């Protein structure tokens, strides 16, 4: 400490990269954010969102600082400031009324992802009220990877050991924009003379530094994974000992991939046979690590695509080997969020969980054994709008912005508008918050505490380093206060919160791990010892304790137990549809300035990236007589909605394919729902399926579209 200036080590909570940060604090305010080079996982990697975005929102003039109640019509933007007691009472009344009229199942919570503090707080709040219904956005993010890992028994999430690899296989991942830790590691791998294989239809910065760039047709990745396995098996390049000891179903897999020759793959994906063979041989000369991204997730055959690559990781012996894909490690006695969500003591009776919206159709997603025990989001919208299979009438939303980030914006808005009651906790008046009856002010990542399990053998700590601005509160405090009021109304099924404060909850997560609050506060993280290859002591999380190349869980559900290839949904379009919608649309391009719909209110970010862009190949632009920088309207095959974007002519995207970002809206403007109907790609996209038969995910890429001059 110098004078009244203090440096506080913490962890940036703005995204799942979990970078170590150093906050400079003066007079109770964060004046500077810098990377923490001591952090065992991020090692000084950082990004502009952490440096500017976090404090930008914390101290923004338009930040939500007090509870508000809607006075005008829903969405009209007329608000009255109220006190916390009144706000919580009105929320308790709103939820209690729906519960009394339609039953506990008529309540739902919404949050984004289960691996953060609010990702546990919100499901536990709803379960305490008797409802198993929680929306997480992971059918749109990482859900296909998660389900594949689960049915394969392969717990390698985020264990890419690029630092020790000889080869990185980067599939559908733009590390440059998405994760600075990963991007730094890839550049170092290159410098060391390691090899990089990129599978991506777009020329990303990783493709630019790669040794082999496989530019497959969107949505055909599985066939390359299968063909790579074909080569490994045919040329005896697979890890025979590892397969014999730790995998089940190899013979069936071998039979399955027999037909997936590189020649066949070429016919489906357009990548030359020789390139596929070369990629397979380089990958087999490991240790190699598989780096996957959203480019192969969130689509209607996403789980099977991940199955192909997860099986490739397994048969090549790259599981939990230095330079391969490391298994999730945890200190003994520590409870991570995923574990709490699945802990039987915090669950509802099985017959209730079987009624979770989506459970019947997608048991691996929404059933009692579902990956994160969450609803199938499109089925929730259906229930809200139609009352089928039962009415869903009240919602509590925190830490997610469905109006902008779920496909089919008009339907999402119609659903939220029609609710009997809606409460939203947020840091800004987002288009979602704008539809609420009550809006609550939320703390930000410098004001609230969080403890997370990170790769690289460390627990990261987010330090509530400064007091909340205004009257903001953290999710746990809100949930506990709300439950007290619900209890007073006799509308609690069973209060699952055994903690009265955030600190008590943190202590519960730390459990008997031996990691103390003092350690965390001093360093911003705590290391723990890990061991590689402890397969005998720590069996794989599958029925026989081994990796299931042939998945018994999929077989039991009459789903394909072996990895396979489903041609992209767009291939099934009729000639008429192809003529009307001649282009393929990719969405979700990440930008360094924004995190999905976040930071859109900040001047610096608007300067760097003022408007949504649609990338188009020069040949395609010429065919359509479109020039750079003109505004176009994007329409997709399955929806009457549309979206505007400004063209960017570039060879980064292949001919016939256009590509855009996501998360666009214009904070504070009052037309078109703050832009959510006008410049948000989800306004042009359907959430109606086809859905992945295992995860329920819809296609966020590879959609047939057309563009016209706006
Ligand atoms: N700055 C910033 N960083 C972020 C985020 C953010 O919003 N902003 N979001 C975070 C979150 S939650 C996520 S999920 C990640 C997402 O980040 P990534 O996992 O990198 O995902 P995307 O950027 O959507 O797409 C990655 C790549 O997939 C390619 N792709 C598209 N279709 C296909 C296909 O069919 N096959 C293959 N092989 N590739 C395809 C795209 O061309 C793109 O290069 O980023 C995280 N990091
Ligand atoms: N078309 C299309 N749609 C997509 C994608 C795509 O590629 N294409 N990507 C998908 C992916 S990968 C993802 S992860 C989702 C992201 O979807 P969202 O999670 O909805 O995205 P964010 O913009 O990060 O929304 C977070 C919201 O929570 C609020 N918030 C931020 N921090 C906190 C906090 O600490 N506490 C609370 N209570 N609130 C907070 C912010 O104000 C913001 O409104 O979008 C998905 N949607
Ligand atoms: S990548 Fe950026 S936003 Fe994500 S944790 Fe690191 S510094 Fe924060
Ligand atoms: Mo995501």
């Amino acid at each position: 400490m110098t004078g009244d200036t203090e440096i506080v080590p913490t962890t940036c909570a703005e995204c799942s990269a979990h970078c170590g940060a150093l906050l400079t604090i003066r007079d109770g305010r964060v004046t500077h954010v810098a990377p923490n080079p001591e952090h065992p996982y991020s090692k000084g990697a950082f990004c502009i969102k952490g440096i500017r975005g976090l404090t930008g929102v914390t101290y923004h003039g338009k930040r939500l600082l007090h509870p508000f109640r809607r006075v005008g019509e829903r969405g009209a933007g007329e608000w009255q400031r109220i006190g916390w007691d009144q706000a919580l009472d009105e929320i308790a009344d709103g939820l209690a009324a729906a519960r009394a009229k339609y039953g506990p199942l008529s309540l739902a919570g919404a949050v984004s992802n289960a691996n953060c503090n609010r990702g546990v707080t919100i499901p536990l709040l709803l379960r305490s009220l008797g409802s198993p219904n929680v929306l997480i956005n992971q059918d749109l993010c990482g859900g296909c990877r998660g389900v594949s890992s689960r049915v394969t028994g392969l717990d390698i999430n985020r264990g890419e050991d690029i630092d020790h690899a000889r080869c990185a296989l980067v599939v559908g991942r733009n590390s440059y924009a998405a994760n600075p830790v990963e991007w730094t590691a890839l550049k170092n791998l290159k410098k060391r003379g390691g090899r990089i294989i990129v599978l991506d239809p777009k020329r990303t910065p990783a493709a630019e530094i790669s040794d082999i760039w496989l530019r497959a047709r969107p949505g055909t990745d599985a066939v390359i994974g299968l063909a790579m396995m074909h080569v490994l098996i045919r040329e005896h390049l697979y890890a025979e000992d590892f397969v014999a000891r730790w995998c089940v179903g190899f013979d069936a897999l071998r039979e399955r991939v027999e037909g997936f020759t590189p020649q066949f793959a070429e016919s489906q994906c357009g990548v030359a046979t020789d390139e596929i063979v070369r990629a397979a041989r380089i990958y087999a000369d490991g240790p190699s690590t598989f780096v996957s991204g959203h480019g192969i997730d969130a689509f209607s055959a996403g789980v099977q695509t991940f199955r192909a690559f997860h099986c490739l990781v397994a048969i090549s012996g790259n599981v939990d080997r230095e330079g391969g894909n490391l298994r999730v490690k945890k200190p003994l006695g520590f409870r991570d969020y995923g574990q709490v969500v699945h802990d039987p003591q915090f669950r509802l009776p099985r017959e209730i969980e079987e009624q979770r919206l989506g459970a019947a159709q997608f048991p691996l997603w929404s059933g009692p054994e579902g990956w994160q025990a969450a609803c199938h989001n499109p089925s929730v919208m259906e229930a809200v709008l139609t009352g089928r299979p039962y009415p869903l009438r009240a919602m509590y939303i925190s830490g997610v912005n469905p109006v902008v980030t779920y496909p089919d914006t008009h339907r999402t808005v119609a659903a939220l508008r029609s609710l009997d009651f809606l409460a939203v906790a947020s840091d800004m008046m987002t288009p979602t918050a704008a539809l609420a009856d009550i809006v609550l002010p939320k703390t930000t990542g410098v004001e609230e505490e969080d403890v997370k399990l990170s790769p690289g053998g460390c627990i990261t700590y987010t330090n509530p380093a400064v007091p909340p601005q205004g009257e903001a509160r953290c999710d746990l405090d809100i949930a506990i206060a709300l439950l007290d009021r619900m209890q007073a109304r006799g509308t609690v099924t069973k209060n699952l919160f055994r903690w009265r404060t955030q600190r008590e909850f943190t202590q519960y997560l730390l459990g008997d791990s031996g990691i103390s609050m003092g350690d965390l506060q001093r360093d911003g993280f705590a290391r723990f010892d890990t061991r590689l290859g402890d397969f005998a002591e720590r069996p794989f999380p599958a029925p026989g304790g081994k990796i299931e190349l042939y998945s018994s869980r999929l077989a039991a559900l009459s789903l394909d137990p072996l990895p396979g290839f489903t041609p992209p949904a767009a291939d099934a379009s009729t000639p008429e549809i192809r003529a009307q919608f001649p282009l393929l649309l990719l969405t979700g391009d990440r930008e360094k300035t924004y995190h999905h719909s976040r930071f859109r209110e900040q001047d610096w970010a608007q300067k760097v990236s003022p408007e949504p862009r649609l990338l188009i190949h020069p040949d395609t632009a010429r065919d359509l007589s479109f020039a750079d920088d003109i505004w176009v309207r994007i329409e997709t095959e399955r929806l009457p909605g549309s979206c505007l974007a400004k063209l960017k002519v570039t060879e980064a995207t292949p001919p016939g394919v256009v590509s855009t970002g996501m998360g666009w809206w214009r904070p504070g403007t009052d037309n078109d729902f703050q832009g959510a109907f006008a410049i948000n790609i989800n306004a042009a996209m359907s959430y109606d399926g086809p859905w992945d038969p295992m995860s329920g995910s819809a296609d966020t890429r590879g959609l047939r579209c057309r563009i016209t001059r706006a």
Side-chain angles (χ1 to χ4, degrees), residues 15-16 47 49 137 140-142 170-180 182 199-204 214 216-221 292-296 299 586-597 600 652 659 662 701-702:
C15 87
S16 56
C47 87
K49 296 174 293 160
N137 63 9
L140 297 165
C141 173
V170 182
V171 184
R173 178 72 163 175
N174 181 6
S175 308
Y176 167 80
N179 186 319
E182 215 173 88
L199 173 50
D200 197 308
K202 272 177 50 200
R203 194 177 61 217
T204 59
L214 308 173
R217 213 157 60 83
T220 61
D221 304 87
S292 62
H294 194 247
I296 53 165
F299 83 103
L586 310 181
T587 76
D589 297 347
R590 263 54 184 174
E591 292 185 67
K592 287 199 166 187
T593 27
Y594 296 117
H595 205 85
H596 315 131
S597 72
R600 305 279 165 178
S659 169
M662 51 88 61
R701 257 162 286 105

Side-chain angles (χ1 to χ4, degrees), residues 504-582:
E504 280 176 31
F505 184 48
T506 303
Q507 299 277 17
Y508 175 78
L509 297 174
L510 294 178
D512 299 327
S513 64
I515 295 169
S516 72
M517 283 308 305
D519 298 338
L520 295 174
Q521 286 164 330
R522 187 188 60 236
D523 299 330
F525 58 83
R527 293 173 203 267
F528 57 90
D529 291 334
T530 58
R531 224 152 49 77
L532 293 181
D534 54 349
F535 309 129
E537 301 88 84
R538 219 157 51 89
F540 290 98
K546 292 187 178 183
I547 297 169
E548 291 203 323
L549 306 171
Y550 177 98
S551 169
S552 59
R553 288 186 200 175
L554 291 176
L557 292 165
S558 305
L559 293 163
D560 189 352
L562 288 163
F565 170 61
T566 310
D571 285 8
S573 304
T574 59
E576 294 78 57
I577 292 288
R578 282 166 196 252
Q580 280 177 44
F581 299 94

Side-chain angles (χ1 to χ4, degrees), residues 450-513:
D450 210 346
V451 174
K452 290 189 187 117
L453 184 63
S454 266
C458 88
I459 299 292
T460 60
Y461 180 62
T462 298
N463 193 323
V466 291
Q469 293 285 299
E471 295 183 282
R473 292 190 189 175
C474 73
D475 287 288
L476 194 98
D477 287 348
I478 298 172
I480 288 170
L482 193 56
L483 271 177
D484 285 347
R485 283 170 166 80
M486 299 291 287
Q487 209 138 18
R489 286 161 178 76
T491 48
V492 170
T493 302
K494 179 182 174 195
N495 191 339
L496 296 173
F497 288 76
R498 53 172 72 165
W499 321 278
R500 293 300 300 172
T501 62
Q502 177 61 49
R503 183 54 55 84
E504 280 176 31
F505 184 48
T506 303
Q507 299 277 17
Y508 175 78
L509 297 174
L510 294 178
D512 299 327
S513 64

Side-chain angles (χ1 to χ4, degrees), residues 328-341:
V328 175
K329 309 271 187 318
K330 218 164 48 172
L332 204 66
F334 177 82
R335 300 178 177 95
D336 70 317
Y337 290 126
Q339 192 181 341
V340 177
V341 162

